[in-house]
Amino acid sequence: MNTLIWILIFISTFAFMEFMAWFSHKYIMHGFLWVLHSDHHHKDHDSWFERNDAFFIIYAVVSMSFILAGVKTWFWYGLPIGFGIMVYGAAYFLVHDIFIHQRFKLFRNANNRYAKGVRRAHKMHHKHTGKEDGECFGMLFVPFKYFKK
């Protein structure tokens, strides 16, 4: 297995996951699986956990499946794909759940340009509590307009 190819597959998978996050957020979470995502926009329970957390589990299963296929079969590129999905999931968790929504009280004082832009974009997304009329469905790469002062 060529290390450079492994790294390129890993980086490509990580980058592709931003598109997948945008696509699944816009068309699946705000579509036919709104029943799982709705409590993220309008909390209707007292639990720390949200039904929306099920999406983390879904992507974790996909990631583990690729890693397992990469270890147990000829499908060696399942490893960099699975790890790319896993690292994207960790980055998403850090940015979305910890930094933006403060589910753990960390990174409260991050005020660099990127942090402010991501926060603004997500705030615009959450101004809509229903499944329609949403905007800015991405997470790590948001439109440049949110980085302007």
Side-chain angles (χ1 to χ4, degrees):
M1 165 178 28
N2 186 329
T3 305
L4 179 61
I5 293 172
W6 199 100
I7 292 169
L8 288 173
I9 292 171
F10 170 82
I11 292 169
S12 298
T13 301
F14 182 91
F16 182 70
M17 285 306 296
E18 178 67 9
F19 166 76
M20 285 303 301
W22 172 87
F23 181 87
S24 62
H25 192 179
K26 183 170 184 167
Y27 295 108
I28 297 172
M29 295 177 186
H30 281 254
F32 66 94
L33 287 180
W34 176 251
V35 68
L36 292 177
H37 186 61
S38 63
D39 69 336
H40 181 64
H41 284 265
H42 181 71
K43 194 163 180 148
D44 58 1
H45 53 78
D46 293 328
S47 175
W48 184 83
F49 290 102
E50 299 175 348
R51 291 183 302 274
N52 184 63
D53 295 335
F55 293 106
F56 169 78
I57 296 167
I58 292 166
Y59 277 114
V61 168
V62 172
S63 173
M64 289 186 293
S65 298
F66 273 108
I67 292 169
L68 189 60
V71 170
K72 297 284 187 181
T73 71
W74 57 268
F75 189 70
W76 65 266
Y77 35 93
L79 277 170
I81 292 171
F83 282 116
I85 294 169
M86 180 182 74
V87 171
Y88 182 86
Y92 190 101
F93 179 75
L94 279 170
V95 171
H96 182 262
D97 290 291
I98 296 177
F99 173 65
I100 293 173
H101 287 290
Q102 289 291 300
R103 287 178 85 175
F104 299 97
K105 308 301 180 200
L106 301 169
F107 309 121
R108 288 181 153 194
N109 298 324
N111 276 325
N112 61 58
R113 190 170 181 220
Y114 175 76
K116 288 178 182 178
V118 169
R119 261 197 225 112
R120 271 189 214 110
H122 204 70
K123 186 174 186 174
M124 292 305 294
H125 178 74
H126 275 272
K127 79 177 185 177
H128 306 284
T129 57
K131 79 185 231 182
E132 288 85 19
D133 301 322
E135 60 184 279
C136 199
F137 292 94
M139 177 51 52
L140 301 178
F141 305 110
V142 298
F144 289 116
K145 68 181 181 180
Y146 297 108
F147 295 104
K148 295 178 183 171
K149 292 185 181 206

